[in-house]
Amino acid sequence: MTEKLEVLVVEDKEENRKAAQAYFDTRNDVSIDFATNYSEGLQKLQEGLHAFGIFDLELPRTEGANTEKLG
């Protein structure tokens, strides 16, 4: 069994997360994880479990906050 590439997607828009999930569901060699805001994404990055990341360029700092250019 081969190891899966651990991918982190940091995206606040649900429709974009769903699109990414639909794409990565077609791949057997990728494990995907999501964060919905800057703080959550930073926390997951600090855990060091991901080999690759895809980041939104405009994210809310926390859940429910206004969008900032933090990506």
Side-chain angles (χ1 to χ4, degrees):
M1 180 198 253
T2 61
E3 278 191 49
K4 291 188 175 190
L5 179 66
E6 299 286 335
V7 176
L8 174 63
V9 175
V10 184
E11 173 59 63
D12 59 321
K13 293 186 175 122
E14 183 178 5
E15 62 270 16
N16 293 344
R17 289 193 309 272
K18 285 181 178 180
Q21 184 70 62
Y23 170 75
F24 286 113
D25 282 348
T26 68
R27 305 286 312 244
N28 293 328
D29 57 347
V30 175
S31 174
I32 189 164
D33 189 12
F34 290 97
T36 60
N37 59 58
Y38 174 85
S39 297
E40 184 183 3
L42 184 59
Q43 178 183 357
K44 289 185 178 207
L45 282 174
Q46 290 172 337
E47 292 169 1
L49 303 175
H50 303 92
F52 186 77
I54 300 172
F55 306 95
D56 188 346
L57 295 177
E58 294 183 3
L59 290 168
R61 186 171 294 277
T62 59
E63 197 67 37
N66 290 331
T67 300
E68 301 177 46
K69 291 189 178 190
L70 299 169

